[in-house]
Amino acid sequence: MRQSKCSGGSDVNQHSGPSKPSTPSVTPSTTTAATTEDERNNNNKRHRSNASSDSAVNSSRIMAHELRKLVDTANAPIFGIDINGNVNEWNFKTAEITGYSREEAFHKPLVSTFISPKLQQSVQEVLDMALKGLETSNYELEFETKAVCKSKNEIF
């Protein structure tokens, strides 16, 4: 048996006998190995990218949970409104001060429902300015509250 190189650079084994045809056996090409290696690398990159993305999503969820806890348990009333002036944030301290639960306050107009009538116009002006991106610092307001008779749990 004699060994020679074929044009692709692969080893070819041939029999040198007169009656037997030559039977080439080609070793695997380096291109196939490189492609397989590239595919593995790409899969690894996608896996790392997905893991990184999942990690970022988890970090965002954890941060949102922590911020939610901070707002809810703050020792100051924190409330928010949407662009229509309806309540979309109402922490525990605001609920404690006003007597209105978060569920009772949500989606109700803040000014006309929860602000003292004598301050409604000025509060509305401050909120309108805030919705335009203009700040007012140290603005004090009065909430209308629910009076609860503690002995009978009645609202009056």
Side-chain angles (χ1 to χ4, degrees), residues 52-109:
S52 175
S53 178
D54 289 347
S55 176
V57 168
N58 284 338
S59 292
S60 294
R61 283 186 184 140
I62 290 168
M63 184 176 288
H65 177 73
E66 292 297 317
L67 289 172
R68 170 89 268 147
K69 221 165 63 171
L70 178 68
V71 168
D72 283 345
T73 61
N75 197 24
I78 299 175
F79 57 89
I81 59 167
D82 61 21
I83 60 170
N84 297 314
N86 296 319
V87 174
N88 64 4
E89 182 58 61
W90 197 261
N91 76 344
F92 297 143
K93 186 53 94 172
T94 307
E96 179 185 314
I97 290 170
T98 64
Y100 293 98
S101 70
R102 175 181 283 157
E103 292 76 22
E104 291 174 302
F106 261 47
H107 308 295
K108 297 220 172 64

Side-chain angles (χ1 to χ4, degrees), residues 2-4 6 11 22 25 30 34 42 61 64 79 94-96 105 107 113 116 120 140 147:
R2 162 183 102 206
Q3 197 173 45
S4 66
C6 67
D11 292 336
S22 64
S25 90
T30 54
N42 288 338
R61 283 186 184 140
F79 57 89
T94 307
E96 179 185 314
H107 308 295
T113 308
S116 171
Q120 285 182 0
E140 204 171 298

Side-chain angles (χ1 to χ4, degrees), residues 11 39 47 68-69 80 96-97 115 122 127-128 136 150:
D11 292 336
E39 287 172 356
H47 178 71
R68 170 89 268 147
K69 221 165 63 171
E96 179 185 314
I97 290 170
I115 302 300
S122 64
L127 294 175
D128 289 342
T136 302
K150 300 263 185 205

Side-chain angles (χ1 to χ4, degrees), residues 11-24:
D11 292 336
V12 177
N13 295 323
Q14 295 178 328
H15 282 284
S16 57
S19 63
K20 289 190 174 183
S22 64
T23 314

